[in-house]
Amino acid sequence: LGQIAELEDNRLLAVDHYRAAIEAVESVAGGIRIDLYKASFLEDKTQIYDRLISLLGPTQSEEAFFYAERRRAQAYLDSIRTRGLQFKTPDTSLVNAKRRAERRLIATQIALRNELVKPPSERESALVSRLQNQLLEVRGAHSEVLRKVQLQRTSDAYREGWVAPLRVEAVQSRVLQEGQALVQYVVTKDKVIAFVIDSKRTRFFILPADRKLLSESIKSLLAPFRALKEGTVDLLHLDFDVELSHDIYQRIFEPLEPALAGNTNIIIVPDDALHYLPFESLARSAALGPLDRRIRYREYESVDWLVRRYSIAYAVSATSLDPDLAGRSEPQEKLVAFAEPLLGDRTDFKKGASLRGAFGTASMIGALKPIPEAGREVSSIGTIMSGTTRTITLEGARASEKAFFEHAPDAKYLHFAVHSFVDDEVPDYSTLVLSAGDESDGFLQGFEILQARLRSRLVTLSACETALGRLYRGEGLVGLKRAFLVAGARSMLVSLWSIEDSSADFMEMFYEQLSEGVGLNQALRETKLEYLKKNRPLGSTRSLSLSHPFFWAPFTLTVTSGY
C-alpha cells in the first residue's frame, strides 16, 4: 500500500502505510527468540525501513534517523540485553543434552585435528573423510540443541519488545563528545543514505551510489588482498587501485565533509557492503607519489588517505553506544595474551615470513604453520604494558581454551596472535586456534565465546579476517567479533583481510600508544600514520615501504558503550 501511495505521489499516505508495516514487522520479530532467526527474518524487510527513511529524510531527518536505528542490529541488541540473565527453571534433560552434544563435537574435532596435523604421507585419507562427514552431522545436532536452549528463555529472562533505539537528541547528549561526530549509512537498492550527527546538528544526505555498484566497487578494490591470500600474486606485486579508492571516496564520503568540519573524531556505522571497507584507506585524491626503484611502494607514502584527516572507529549502531547498555563492572588492570599454540608434531613446517592463515573450516588445521613473529608480538606487548598493567602471556601448551576461561573474564585487555577460521555459513563455529588438551579440541569457537562473561575494555584479534563473518542486511557481520562483543567486550581491534607477520611491529606501536594513555581510536590512527612513514629492509640496497594499505588498513576498531 505504501508503494502504491508513492506511485500516486501521496507522500503522507505512503508514510502512514510504511509506519504501519514496520509496526507489523516488529511485532512478529519481537516474538522470535533465536537471535539469528530474527536477523534472517528482518533481513528482507529492510526495504520497508529504506522507503520510509527516504521519504522522511529531506524534511524530517531526526525522525528518519530514528527509523534507521530501528532497522539496525536488533538481534545484536537483544543479545546484549539478555546477556547474563539466568533461566528460572533449567530443563535438566536439555542441559544434559547440551553437554552430550558438546562432548561429541569436541571428541570429533579432536580426532580430526589429531589426524590432520600429521604429515600428509602419514594421514589416513579414508579416516579423514569419515571424520569430516561426521563433523557435519555432529555440528547439525549441536546447533539444534543450542537453538532449543535459546528457546527455553522464560518471559522473565527474555523481556518482550525491542531495545529502545536512541533518538538524535540522546546521541548528541549521551554518546558524542566534543569534536566527535557519528556517520551512519543506509544502503538501499538505488541509493546510499547518510546521516551526520554532531553535538549541535543532524544532516541528511542522499549519495549517488546504488547497492550493486557500491558492492562491486568495494569488491574490486579489495581483490588484490584476496589474490594474495590465494597465492595468485606475491607481496611485492600487490597493486592497490588509488583511483578506485578515490572514486568510492567521492561517492560516499566527500559530500559529507563540510558537515564534519571541526570534528576529527568519527564513529562510522556502516551498512551492507560498507562493512568490508576500511574507510581510513579511502583516498581524498587519485594522485600517487613518484616511483622509487630502491623503495617498493614508495608512491603510496604521499597519498592523501582519509586516516590523515580523521581518527575513525566503527559501531554496529548508534544505540549500541548507549551508556545505559554498559552495565558491566570494571575489569582488573590485567592483560592476557595468547600466542604460538601447539599445532601438532609436524616436520614439514617451513619457518619464515608468511601470511597468518584464515580458513573456512576447522578441517584445514593441517594447513596451518607456526606464526614466526607471534611470540615476539605478545612478549613485547607484555613488556610495554607491564608498567601499569599486570600481564600474562600464554604460549605453547599454556595458550589453551582452559586458560582463556580461567584468565579472560576479569582481564582489561585480551590479545590473540593466533590463527583463525571464519565460518560464513554457521558463524557459531568461527574459531580461534589454541592448544588442544586431553579434553579440549583447542578450537575456541563462537558459541563458546558467547558463554564467557567478559569485562574487557579491548579484545585484539591479531589474526586473519577476524572482522568478517556472515553478512545479514541490517544486522551486519556475524562472526568472532560479534561473539566477543555479546560476551562483554567493549571494543574490538580486528582485521579485514589476511595479515602479514610484520603486523607484530604494528601491534607493538599500537600498545605503546595505549601505555602512554592515548585513547583507543587515536592510538590506532597514530600507529597507522607511523606506518605511512615506515620502511622495511629488502636486502642491502632496497627496502619496502609500509605505506601500502595492505600493511596498515586491515585493522579496524569497533566500539560499544563504555569503551
Side-chain angles (χ1 to χ4, degrees):
L1 291 173
Q3 289 174 321
I4 291 170
E6 275 198 87
L7 291 171
E8 295 175 345
D9 292 326
N10 192 334
R11 176 186 173 278
L12 292 178
L13 183 59
V15 166
D16 287 343
H17 284 313
Y18 287 135
R19 282 177 171 154
I22 287 172
E23 292 297 330
V25 166
E26 292 180 358
S27 175
V28 175
I32 300 175
R33 300 189 178 187
I34 295 178
D35 296 335
L36 293 186
Y37 284 5
K38 178 175 291 185
S40 295
F41 171 77
L42 291 169
E43 188 171 26
D44 64 352
K45 313 297 187 299
T46 55
Q47 72 266 22
I48 306 173
Y49 294 82
D50 294 346
R51 293 306 315 152
L52 181 56
I53 293 165
S54 297
L55 290 174
L56 292 173
T59 57
Q60 298 167 266
S61 60
E62 294 189 1
E63 187 72 7
F65 176 80
F66 177 66
Y67 279 98
E69 275 298 290
R70 287 173 67 163
R71 171 191 188 272
R72 190 177 304 276
Q74 286 299 334
Y76 166 78
L77 292 170
D78 265 357
S79 298
I80 295 297
R81 182 185 55 183
T82 59
R83 177 180 54 214
L85 295 178
Q86 300 299 315
F87 299 134
K88 255 186 177 180
T89 310
D91 183 333
T92 303
S93 63
L94 186 56
V95 171
N96 291 334
K98 179 174 177 289
R99 289 174 181 165
R100 288 194 300 272
E102 287 184 354
R103 283 198 297 267
R104 190 179 176 206
L105 175 67
I106 291 170
T108 304
Q109 291 184 157
I110 288 175
L112 184 57
R113 177 172 180 154
N114 288 343
E115 193 65 26
L116 288 172
V117 297
K118 296 177 182 178
S121 60
E122 298 179 16
R123 294 178 198 159
E124 296 183 35
S125 57
L127 176 59
V128 169
S129 179
R130 184 164 68 251
L131 287 171
Q132 288 173 332
N133 290 332
Q134 182 177 321
L135 181 59
L136 292 175
E137 175 191 339
V138 169
R139 279 187 174 182
H142 179 253
S143 294
E144 182 61 29
V145 172
L146 291 182
R147 286 192 287 270
K148 289 179 180 179
V149 169
Q150 277 195 281
L151 287 170
Q152 199 209 354
R153 292 171 175 164
T154 66
S155 58
D156 287 345
Y158 192 94
R159 298 185 292 271
E160 295 290 347
W162 298 90
V163 172
L166 291 187
R167 291 186 177 271
V168 166
E169 57 268 25
V171 174
Q172 292 172 322
S173 63
R174 294 162 55 187
V175 171
L176 296 178
Q177 302 170 1
E178 189 66 29
Q180 190 175 56
L182 181 89
V183 177
Q184 181 168 135
Y185 289 94
V186 176
V187 178
T188 77
K189 180 180 179 181
D190 57 357
K191 58 182 165 293
V192 174
I193 294 168
F195 298 87
V196 176
I197 303 173
D198 62 17
S199 60
K200 298 177 181 178
R201 300 185 65 179
T202 301
R203 300 188 187 180
F204 175 85
F205 297 85
I206 295 179
L207 306 174
D210 62 52
R211 183 187 182 202
K212 182 178 180 182
L213 177 61
L214 183 62
S215 179
E216 290 175 349
S217 296
I218 293 172
K219 185 176 181 180
S220 295
L221 183 69
L222 304 181
F225 305 138
R226 292 195 303 275
L228 180 64
K229 174 187 171 182
E230 294 163 0
T232 57
V233 67
D234 64 58
L235 189 56
L236 294 180
H237 299 85
L238 190 66
D239 292 327
F240 185 82
D241 192 337
V242 173
E243 288 188 5
L244 179 56
S245 173
H246 178 59
D247 178 65
I248 297 172
Y249 160 79
Q250 287 181 305
R251 281 185 275 156
I252 67 167
F253 200 86
E254 184 178 36
L256 314 184
E257 291 210 76
L260 292 170
N263 299 298
T264 58
N265 183 346
I266 300 175
I267 299 176
I268 293 176
V269 181
D271 189 36
D272 205 66
L274 293 177
H275 283 283
Y276 299 107
L277 178 68
F279 279 69
E280 297 94 320
S281 67
L282 294 181
R284 298 180 78 252
S285 77
L288 282 168
L291 293 172
D292 188 331
R293 291 187 177 183
R294 296 169 301 168
I295 305 177
R296 189 74 176 96
Y297 301 138
R298 176 73 176 272
E299 63 270 26
Y300 295 104
E301 288 184 9
S302 58
V303 173
D304 190 9
W305 306 111
L306 215 57
V307 71
R308 297 189 188 276
R309 303 296 180 103
Y310 306 98
S311 63
I312 297 174
Y314 301 84
V316 297
S317 71
T319 305
S320 71
L321 300 167
D322 185 354
D324 287 350
L325 288 178
R328 288 160 275 188
S329 58
E330 289 300 311
Q332 295 184 19
E333 285 290 339
K334 182 172 78 171
L335 178 145
V336 181
F338 296 79
E340 297 189 328
L342 300 178
L343 297 175
D345 184 19
R346 294 285 303 277
T347 59
D348 59 343
F349 285 146
K350 296 180 181 179
K351 297 288 184 179
S354 64
L355 294 179
R356 302 188 183 189
F359 303 92
T361 168
S363 296
M364 294 296 294
I365 183 68
L368 299 184
K369 297 177 173 61
I371 303 172
E373 296 295 313
R376 175 175 71 85
E377 179 176 321
V378 299
S379 177
S380 297
I381 291 169
T383 300
I384 290 166
M385 299 294 286
S386 60
T388 57
T389 305
R390 177 189 171 204
T391 61
I392 301 173
T393 56
L394 301 167
E395 302 178 41
R398 298 176 64 228
S400 65
E401 286 184 271
K402 181 180 178 181
F404 169 78
F405 287 103
E406 178 182 349
H407 295 293
D410 61 351
K412 186 174 185 178
Y413 302 100
L414 288 174
H415 187 96
F416 296 85
V418 299
H419 288 294
S420 65
F421 297 139
V422 178
D423 195 322
D424 294 333
E425 294 298 321
V426 189
D428 277 348
Y429 298 114
S430 292
T431 303
L432 295 173
V433 180
L434 300 177
S435 292
D438 292 337
E439 298 181 357
S440 167
D441 53 23
F443 298 138
L444 182 60
Q445 296 177 285
F447 74 88
E448 294 170 309
I449 296 166
L450 288 168
Q451 297 172 21
R453 301 287 296 277
L454 303 179
R455 291 178 281 166
S456 309
R457 180 196 182 202
L458 173 68
V459 175
T460 301
L461 303 184
S462 182
C464 286
E465 300 179 342
T466 49
L468 303 185
R470 180 169 176 175
L471 180 63
Y472 291 86
R473 291 202 70 206
E475 191 68 27
L477 289 167
V478 178
L480 288 169
K481 180 177 73 172
R482 175 186 163 114
F484 275 102
L485 291 175
V486 171
R490 298 182 184 182
S491 59
M492 297 288 303
L493 182 59
V494 289
S495 65
L496 283 163
W497 53 76
S498 295
I499 59 177
E500 200 248 356
D501 289 328
S502 68
S503 60
D505 297 328
F506 186 98
M507 292 300 169
E508 289 174 21
M509 295 165 67
F510 171 71
Y511 279 92
E512 283 175 356
Q513 295 282 336
L514 290 188
S515 70
E516 295 171 2
V518 178
L520 293 175
N521 52 347
Q522 187 61 29
L524 185 58
R525 177 175 182 251
E526 291 298 328
T527 303
K528 292 182 177 184
L529 291 177
E530 283 297 312
Y531 252 58
L532 293 178
K533 302 180 288 187
K534 188 177 176 65
N535 294 335
R536 187 207 301 175
L538 280 179
S540 58
T541 60
R542 300 183 67 206
S543 59
L544 180 71
S545 170
L546 301 185
S547 62
H548 191 296
F550 167 76
F551 296 103
W552 55 268
F555 300 107
T556 62
L557 179 71
T558 296
V559 297
T560 67
S561 56
Y563 77 95

